[in-house]
Amino acid sequence: MDQKYLGKVNSPEDLKKLNSEQVTGLCSEIRDFMLKTVSENGGHLASNLGAVELTVALHKVFSSPQDTIVFDVGHQCYTHKLLTGRYNEFTSLRKENGISGFMKPEESPHDPFITGHSSTSVSSAFGVCKANQLLCSNSCSVAVLGDGALTGGMVYEALNNVSKKDKHLIVVLNDNKMSISKNRGALSKHLSAIRTRRNYFKFKNSVERFLVKIPLIGHGLYTLAFKLKKTLKSMIYDSNIFESLGFYYMGPVDGHDIDRMTEIFTIAKDYGKPVLVHVKTIKGKGYIPAELAPGVYHGVSHFDPKFGVLSQDGTTFSKVFGDVLSDIAAKDNKVCAITAAMTDGTGLTRFASEFKDRFFDVGIAEEHAVTFSAALAKKGFKPVFAVYSTFLQRGYDQIIHDAAIAKLPLTLAVDRAGFVGSDGETHQGLFDVSFLSSVPGVTVYAPADYGELENMLRCRLKSPEGVAAIRYPRGGAEKIKETAVYSSDVYSVYGDGSTAVVTYGTLTAYALAAMKALETDGIRISVVKLNIVCPLTDDLINTLMSFDNILTFEEGILSGSVSEKIASLLLQRGYKGTFKINAVTGFVKQASVSSQQKQFCLDKESMIRQVKEVTKLEH
């Protein structure tokens, strides 16, 4: 692909040398290159296409990395990566050993923080602002967040903490879906345009300085003028929460007009108080299919740009969960579904359509979702909160404080459990078993295939007690032996060898395949499949005590793992055999799921190899 401008922009300083016509050409090249790369690698497309001009304008005005620019979540940072020296690496986006789809400081000094979860940017930018004040630095701190981030409470905690004295803090609100401050009439639009021009600020500051300098009555006149201005504004504009919180509100402004944004960002940069710039953009800008269906093109896998994203008809754990829950809800009017801005991702589209009064999308607010669900349970309903494992981390306190202590029947459908592949460190679902199993009274189910997921969900919702989680991975399931069917047992044993492979969830398929392969070499093992990984029962530990060798394979973090808990209980009973743990240590970088499993010895071949090593020691 011929790049007349993009290939020559190695830093924001190179961007600043381009004229208006060249910048327009650059934006077009960015969109083309971004579409080509994301269609091949997968990634977040619509939001990034909509933020091209916005990002270009930011880098024309501010001087990164001296000025800190924090992109909330990272769904809008692809243009930022291209403008900050990563053009030649961009084709490796989201691939193993490639660049991340999110901001990542180890990649570039232009990425100040890792940003994989929503609603954190204002807190980070404000912290930098305060640090700059302590260092007597005039560098600016900029937070760029989408309107969806405003459904997360952390944003308001940060905004509320800012004072009018915190200059050089700029919050850029990229509004590509909802109207934050709805202005009325031509007069309002005209005044909005006036209030965002540089001459207005020069005149305003001159008047303020003049009034204050008048002897005796100056401060009184200034206060009177300020109150009068505020009253007139409230008559013309709708109430603006940002100005109530101490920010100077600018906008809304066309987020695809680079010259206009450049002018406004320059004003905001030089303004002596915190500023919020409200930018209106079109999600999917420049690629018609994404403009018409931005939700479909939010996060995509490989597709052909000529034909667009084709419908995904394949069965997944998420789809099975959503269909089974809908079937249950059709016969039980106490069943409710809750999601945190992940209706499609968690498979709840059908439920949302068929049971509107019992479906609740609370926005990006996992803490609220847990407590809200617990309250529904208190009133006799059967709430099921469907949430990605990585985002459930945000609701840990609420699980303990608002649900578990009171023993309320809350069901957590934990999606994307285990490795998630190319999303990298911030999204791996590796911590849920460790933190959930540490809470007294919590039960954690681990289905190995679709049939088990359905059976576990039905059994759980028949007469729910206490907090329970049903965890399952992203995507589909490998078919396991027909004999490995879920019952009400806490665990199941397959085979009759003296060496036990202990595992749960979808790793069961690998374990059973390894058992069959080892039989051809004359090695007999047993597979101990945990249907419920928490709590562990005395009966399970008694069974494990009978094996000469135990190898555990767990797609979760080692610290606090089921494997560690089993080891502790066996040790207390004086177990003398060989015990080896295979679990995850450290944060896991982006790669394919199969590569991640192989890295931590959780694949079929690793199971076979380790069993042979252990049994060889016996002879």
Side-chain angles (χ1 to χ4, degrees):
M1 182 180 293
D2 183 36
Q3 301 289 353
K4 186 176 180 181
Y5 304 111
L6 182 55
K8 298 177 183 178
V9 176
N10 298 309
S11 72
E13 294 307 310
D14 293 332
L15 169 65
K16 290 177 169 62
K17 299 173 185 176
L18 302 181
N19 60 36
S20 181
E21 182 180 346
Q22 291 170 327
V23 167
T24 300
L26 172 66
C27 290
S28 179
E29 291 180 0
I30 289 174
R31 280 200 171 87
D32 290 342
F33 191 50
M34 190 185 297
L35 177 61
K36 180 178 184 298
T37 302
V38 175
S39 68
E40 294 174 355
N41 297 13
H44 293 97
L45 184 60
S47 50
N48 276 294
L49 288 174
V52 174
E53 288 86 2
L54 166 59
T55 308
V56 168
L58 283 168
H59 279 296
K60 281 183 68 69
V61 173
F62 297 99
S63 299
S64 176
Q66 292 80 17
D67 292 326
T68 301
I69 304 176
V70 187
F71 287 85
D72 202 275
V73 181
H75 291 167
Q76 306 172 82
C77 73
Y78 290 3
T79 300
H80 167 78
K81 286 177 180 279
L82 287 169
L83 297 177
T84 53
R86 282 166 278 185
Y87 166 73
N88 292 326
E89 303 169 272
F90 198 72
T91 54
S92 70
L93 181 75
R94 293 167 53 85
K95 291 184 176 180
E96 187 169 1
N97 299 319
I99 64 172
S100 171
F102 304 100
M103 296 190 82
K104 200 168 185 180
E106 67 182 61
E107 281 183 14
S108 169
H110 295 280
D111 292 4
F113 301 100
I114 292 175
T115 55
H117 290 186
S118 176
S119 310
T120 66
S121 62
V122 181
S123 294
S124 296
F126 182 47
V128 170
C129 172
K130 279 298 185 184
N132 286 340
Q133 291 174 17
L134 293 171
L135 295 169
C136 300
S137 169
N138 287 322
S139 295
C140 291
S141 185
V142 184
V144 185
L145 66 157
D147 49 34
L150 291 180
T151 64
M154 190 173 173
V155 169
Y156 300 97
E157 294 176 17
L159 292 172
N160 186 57
N161 197 212
V162 177
S163 74
K164 293 182 179 180
K165 297 179 181 179
D166 296 313
K167 59 182 181 178
H168 303 311
L169 173 66
I170 298 98
V171 175
V172 180
L173 174 60
N174 181 10
D175 179 2
N176 53 30
K177 184 179 180 182
M178 55 186 280
S179 178
I180 306 303
S181 178
K182 192 173 182 180
N183 296 325
R184 297 173 181 165
L187 176 59
S188 171
K189 293 178 181 178
H190 177 66
L191 291 179
S192 177
I194 292 174
R195 295 176 70 236
T196 54
R197 296 195 183 281
R198 197 175 304 179
N199 288 337
Y200 165 80
F201 279 87
K202 289 181 179 179
F203 175 75
K204 176 175 174 288
N205 291 334
S206 298
V207 172
E208 288 175 356
R209 288 194 298 269
F210 172 75
L211 290 175
V212 169
K213 288 180 180 180
I214 298 176
L216 299 178
I217 62 171
H219 282 284
L221 287 173
Y222 172 78
T223 301
L224 178 62
F226 175 80
K227 289 182 177 179
L228 179 60
K229 183 189 75 170
K230 190 173 182 180
T231 300
L232 288 172
K233 276 174 59 179
S234 67
M235 291 171 61
I236 297 170
Y237 293 93
D238 285 341
S239 177
N240 190 307
I241 186 174
F242 305 114
E243 293 202 333
S244 299
L245 289 170
F247 283 80
Y248 187 85
Y249 173 86
M250 300 179 68
V253 61
D254 182 356
H256 302 293
D257 185 338
I258 293 179
D259 292 337
R260 190 78 179 96
M261 282 190 293
T262 299
E263 180 182 13
I264 287 182
F265 288 150
T266 301
I267 295 170
K269 180 179 180 180
D270 298 332
Y271 198 56
K273 296 176 183 178
V275 178
L276 185 135
V277 181
H278 181 181
V279 177
K280 302 276 284 186
T281 62
I282 299 171
K283 222 170 187 179
K285 176 75 172 178
Y287 182 55
I288 298 302
E291 288 188 29
L292 295 175
V296 173
Y297 288 86
H298 171 70
V300 297
S301 54
H302 173 80
F303 72 98
D304 187 336
K306 292 181 180 179
F307 301 103
V309 173
L310 302 178
S311 61
Q312 303 294 323
D313 297 323
T315 302
T316 65
F317 274 100
S318 302
K319 186 177 188 306
V320 170
F321 159 75
D323 286 341
V324 172
L325 188 66
S326 296
D327 291 343
I328 296 172
K331 298 178 181 180
D332 187 345
N333 61 12
K334 293 296 183 182
V335 173
C336 300
I338 300 92
T339 184
M342 288 287 177
T343 303
D344 295 336
T346 56
L348 289 175
T349 305
R350 176 186 160 193
F351 192 106
S353 175
E354 295 180 4
F355 309 101
K356 292 182 174 63
D357 59 333
R358 286 185 277 149
F359 172 75
F360 307 96
D361 184 346
V362 302
I364 305 173
E366 291 81 6
E367 304 96 318
H368 163 61
V370 173
T371 302
F372 171 76
S373 300
L376 287 172
K378 178 71 175 178
K379 296 298 291 183
F381 287 91
K382 298 177 182 179
V384 180
F385 175 31
V387 58
Y388 290 6
S389 172
T390 184
F391 301 135
L392 181 60
Q393 294 162 187
R394 293 180 152 197
Y396 186 48
D397 176 62
Q398 288 72 24
I399 291 170
I400 297 172
H401 183 273
D402 300 322
I405 293 176
K407 300 179 180 178
L408 293 171
L410 166 62
T411 302
L412 304 169
V414 186
D415 203 328
R416 269 63 167 181
F419 295 123
V420 296
S422 56
D423 280 338
E425 298 97 319
T426 57
H427 284 65
Q428 306 291 356
L430 301 172
F431 297 92
D432 57 273
V433 167
S434 292
F435 71 70
L436 288 172
S437 62
S438 68
V439 182
V442 172
T443 302
V444 180
Y445 298 83
D449 64 11
Y450 304 139
E452 289 194 343
L453 172 58
E454 177 174 357
N455 289 336
M456 289 178 178
L457 186 58
R458 288 185 183 278
C459 290
R460 163 62 185 176
L461 292 179
K462 189 174 182 179
S463 55
E465 294 181 3
V467 177
I470 303 175
R471 66 186 309 272
Y472 44 90
R474 180 181 191 172
E478 185 173 335
K479 182 67 176 177
I480 64 175
K481 284 178 59 176
E482 292 181 4
T483 53
V485 178
Y486 173 68
S487 67
S488 58
D489 295 332
V490 173
Y491 66 98
S492 305
V493 180
Y494 306 96
D496 56 3
S498 61
T499 295
V501 168
V502 182
T503 191
Y504 58 86
T506 52
L507 292 186
T508 302
Y510 298 153
L512 293 172
M515 181 175 70
K516 184 176 181 180
L518 286 163
E519 286 177 358
T520 63
D521 293 331
I523 301 173
R524 301 186 69 82
I525 68 169
S526 297
V527 173
V528 179
K529 172 182 177 294
L530 305 180
N531 301 315
I532 295 177
V533 300
C534 169
L536 301 172
T537 63
D538 289 340
D539 183 50
L540 169 65
I541 302 304
N542 288 336
T543 297
L544 293 177
M545 286 290 291
S546 66
F547 291 100
D548 296 332
N549 310 298
I550 300 173
L551 296 90
T552 66
F553 296 87
E554 185 170 0
E555 199 171 299
I557 201 72
L558 173 62
S559 180
S561 63
V562 174
S563 300
E564 279 195 343
K565 291 178 172 63
I566 290 174
S568 175
L569 292 170
L570 288 173
L571 180 63
Q572 292 176 44
R573 300 201 182 186
Y575 181 70
K576 301 299 183 182
T578 302
F579 189 94
K580 180 174 174 55
I581 296 176
N582 293 274
V584 180
T585 54
F587 296 108
V588 181
K589 295 185 177 182
Q590 65 195 45
S592 66
V593 171
S594 60
S595 177
Q596 291 165 342
Q597 289 173 335
K598 185 176 181 179
Q599 177 186 350
F600 292 97
C601 301
L602 301 176
D603 58 326
K604 170 189 166 184
E605 289 71 24
S606 295
M607 293 179 182
I608 293 172
R609 183 181 68 253
Q610 291 194 24
V611 168
K612 287 183 175 180
E613 290 173 356
V614 169
T615 54
K616 185 178 180 180
L617 295 175
E618 295 179 327
H619 301 292

